[in-house]
Amino acid sequence: PCSYALWKMDKGKYVELWYFTNDGLEEANCKITVDNDAMIMSMLVDGSSAWVIAASTHDACAVLNDEDLPFEEFCQAYPRMTTMMEETDWPEDRVRMMVKFWRNIQIHRFCSLRASIGQKALLTYQAEQRKCWHITVKTSVSPYDLSLVNEKVLEEMRERVYWEEREKKDNARNYKVSFSAHQGLGCANHSPFIFELFL
């Protein structure tokens, strides 16, 4: 994977699975970067500039969030991330926990549902649970065991994902209807983007 993902892994931070997909690995192989320990000028969130280590920066344009990955790519990526955890000296008990966690996601009954919403819910659940776990690790509270899937939380996640996807489809349909109506009024030469105001 790219130096940014390796840097985050080495620090025990949350890393998107995308970096370990075929696309993520291919981009890392094609990208020409400066020495990872080199200092480069970077723009901070507040607009100011500062010198930072090159490995701690990345281009987020191509990175997909875990919940947006195809399930097949999730299945490709997590074994590679597990290997990298071992290579960056993560504690063995944490590596085993992550392996069990991802295995339980992969074999969960939601995977076999006809609607893709089940797999989307699983990917969203695993992303959010991993983020929460990484936050907990940094506190004085002992990190909890991720390996057992919380069915109540997952069911709530599926409900939330369903309504989010439904809203996207409704918005797309409304845009299409508004655009068709606009053309029907003889305004085909006008920009369709004005109809975004009605969504």
Side-chain angles (χ1 to χ4, degrees):
C2 72
S3 57
Y4 173 74
L6 291 175
W7 176 80
K8 291 192 81 175
M9 290 290 295
D10 190 52
K11 299 292 184 185
K13 295 177 179 286
Y14 174 83
V15 180
E16 290 83 356
L17 285 166
W18 177 86
Y19 289 104
F20 297 88
T21 63
N22 290 341
D23 287 342
L25 295 174
E26 185 176 326
E27 181 172 297
N29 287 334
C30 294
K31 190 177 285 184
I32 300 173
T33 59
V34 297
D35 180 13
N36 292 336
D37 294 325
M39 299 298 286
I40 61 172
M41 185 64 73
S42 179
M43 183 72 71
L44 302 180
V45 178
D46 63 1
S48 62
S49 299
W51 290 100
V52 297
I53 299 172
S56 68
T57 65
H58 74 302
D59 179 6
C61 295
V63 179
L64 289 178
N65 293 324
D66 285 6
E67 57 268 30
D68 296 324
L69 287 176
F71 204 79
E72 296 77 16
E73 291 190 15
F74 159 75
C75 295
Q76 291 172 354
Y78 85 77
R80 294 169 178 164
M81 183 180 275
T82 302
T83 300
M84 192 53 58
M85 287 174 176
E86 293 171 337
E87 292 181 6
T88 51
D89 297 322
W90 278 43
E92 286 184 20
D93 60 328
R94 292 185 182 180
V95 176
R96 283 196 301 270
M97 180 200 67
M98 287 294 183
V99 170
K100 289 178 183 176
F101 172 62
W102 282 320
R103 184 200 64 206
N104 288 335
I105 293 293
Q106 191 177 16
I107 65 173
H108 194 276
R109 61 186 175 84
F110 278 12
C111 288
S112 58
L113 296 178
R114 286 190 176 186
S116 61
I117 212 76
Q119 293 182 354
K120 176 89 170 178
L122 284 168
L123 291 176
T124 305
Y125 171 87
Q126 77 83 32
E128 293 192 3
Q129 290 300 308
R130 278 203 306 125
K131 287 175 184 174
C132 289
W133 183 86
H134 279 280
I135 291 170
T136 305
V137 168
K138 296 176 184 176
T139 67
S140 57
V141 181
S142 298
Y144 54 93
D145 184 2
L146 268 181
S147 61
L148 296 176
V149 175
N150 186 322
E151 295 293 338
K152 183 173 183 286
V153 173
L154 179 57
E155 190 57 49
E156 291 171 355
M157 191 73 63
R158 183 171 73 152
E159 183 79 6
R160 192 185 89 195
V161 168
Y162 169 80
W163 287 110
E164 286 174 354
E165 292 298 308
R166 176 73 181 267
E167 185 177 12
K168 286 179 188 175
K169 289 180 181 177
D170 288 347
N171 286 342
R173 186 194 66 235
N174 291 343
Y175 175 82
K176 187 175 181 180
V177 169
S178 297
F179 181 62
S180 297
H182 176 65
Q183 286 187 321
L185 292 172
C187 304
N189 293 328
H190 291 257
S191 171
F193 295 106
I194 62 172
F195 288 100
E196 289 181 354
L197 298 172
F198 298 104
L199 297 180

